[in-house]
Amino acid sequence: AWSRWLPAALAACVLIGALSGVLSGCTVQPYRPFMTSEQPGSACTSPATADRLRSTPEVPDDKSYTLHFVEFDDQGWPFPDSAEPNPDAARPSRQIDCAIADLEHKLHSAGSNVLSFVYVHGWKHSAANDDRDVKRFRKLLQSRAALFKDRHVVGIYVGWQGNTIDLWGLRNLTFWGRKNAAHHVAEGRVRELFSRIRGLRAYWNGPRKASEHDCDWQPSGADRCRLRTIMIGHSFGGLILFNSAAPYLLEMLTMERDLPA
């Protein structure tokens, strides 16, 4: 009996594997290719005709928060810019610079503090405007803005191709392909994004004058940190976040272990 069914079973496995590979690579374009910003000195352009739902940053009507999108392909690279000379053409490669420039602009404002949230979505999700995680992240930012009125609330949504197809229930077949993509994303330029955020935190939260203390020294109980950052990863997004940040976390936990008392 086994000799009869084994070839068919092997053929089915090969077919499923091939189908999974094909389905895993269906989405090849960024959801947020356009840069928009009114912040002076930022690295963003200001397309006049770009679709608002496909732009970054995103600012609600009440201006309670700013939401940036940073997207990566299956190899962990930002998507390439459009070759069109039109100034309103897509410039997705600038997403990281845009988000960091906005944080810098807000921190340079006198007496301005920032609360930033970084979210890396997981399998079956994306940076699409109607994605469930995008909607929930907006609600999170809005609720935190209402709670922390003394800070600018800035969200950075890290998008990758976690959702390549949703047809006839075949999306479950993309598990291994999306897991492999998540590993590539974790080793790509998302590390640059996280490193630049850490650089801002190290500068703005540390003493910049001999007479100053860093933000961990709080005799009055007040929050003296200029930049507070909360980083969240879900599903394969957690894999991306942990694998990218693991070297830094290990250094932070062990850097003082062998120093003299």
Side-chain angles (χ1 to χ4, degrees):
W2 280 108
S3 61
R4 180 189 307 174
W5 292 105
L6 185 57
L10 291 175
C13 289
V14 171
L15 178 61
I16 291 174
L19 183 60
S20 175
V22 171
L23 297 179
S24 295
C26 291
T27 304
V28 294
Q29 297 296 325
Y31 287 95
R32 307 282 176 158
F34 303 114
M35 306 293 98
T36 59
S37 177
E38 298 178 356
Q39 303 293 354
S42 75
C44 307
T45 59
S46 300
T49 59
D51 184 349
R52 181 181 179 186
L53 299 180
R54 300 185 66 215
S55 300
T56 181
E58 177 183 301
V59 181
D61 293 336
D62 62 3
K63 301 184 184 304
S64 57
Y65 64 83
T66 303
L67 171 56
H68 295 269
F69 292 86
V70 179
E71 299 177 79
F72 301 95
D73 64 19
D74 274 5
Q75 302 305 314
W77 292 96
F79 289 90
D81 292 341
S82 170
E84 297 179 12
N86 183 352
D88 293 343
R91 299 288 184 265
S93 73
R94 303 181 185 181
Q95 289 175 336
I96 295 178
D97 290 336
C98 179
I100 296 300
D102 186 45
L103 287 174
E104 287 183 305
H105 173 76
K106 289 178 169 58
L107 289 166
H108 274 291
S109 301
S112 178
N113 297 327
V114 176
L115 174 62
S116 66
F117 291 86
V118 180
Y119 179 73
V120 189
H121 70 76
W123 182 36
K124 299 183 180 180
H125 291 280
S126 69
N129 181 65
D130 60 349
D131 187 274
R132 185 193 67 182
D133 279 12
V134 172
K135 294 178 179 179
R136 290 181 175 180
F137 194 49
R138 290 190 186 111
K139 290 181 179 180
L140 171 68
L141 297 177
Q142 189 172 41
S143 66
R144 296 309 93 181
L147 187 61
F148 295 93
K149 296 183 179 298
D150 59 333
R151 289 180 177 269
H152 292 289
V153 174
V154 178
I156 300 177
Y157 188 98
V158 178
W160 57 286
Q161 297 184 74
N163 182 33
T164 54
I165 191 170
D166 186 11
L167 182 64
W168 306 319
L170 296 178
R171 185 165 55 171
N172 290 332
L173 297 178
T174 67
F175 177 88
W176 294 107
R178 295 306 83 208
K179 182 179 181 181
N180 183 58
H183 280 289
H184 284 298
V185 173
E187 296 174 354
R189 285 190 60 187
V190 70
R191 295 189 178 193
E192 176 190 337
L193 171 65
F194 297 158
S195 295
R196 292 175 71 174
I197 293 174
R198 290 198 301 269
L200 290 178
R201 290 178 59 248
Y203 176 79
W204 289 100
N205 292 350
R208 293 181 298 281
K209 298 179 182 178
S211 59
E212 291 183 350
H213 299 278
D214 62 34
C215 73
D216 290 332
W217 190 78
Q218 302 172 21
S220 64
D223 188 352
R224 299 163 59 96
C225 292
R226 295 291 306 280
L227 175 60
R228 289 287 190 183
T229 304
I230 298 173
M231 307 183 79
I232 309 166
H234 172 251
S235 179
F236 289 158
L239 180 152
I240 293 171
L241 179 57
F242 177 79
N243 285 4
S244 301
Y248 164 73
L249 294 175
L250 183 61
E251 176 186 359
M252 182 178 63
L253 293 172
T254 62
M255 64 184 301
E256 297 184 0
R257 179 174 178 177
D258 299 314
L259 299 180

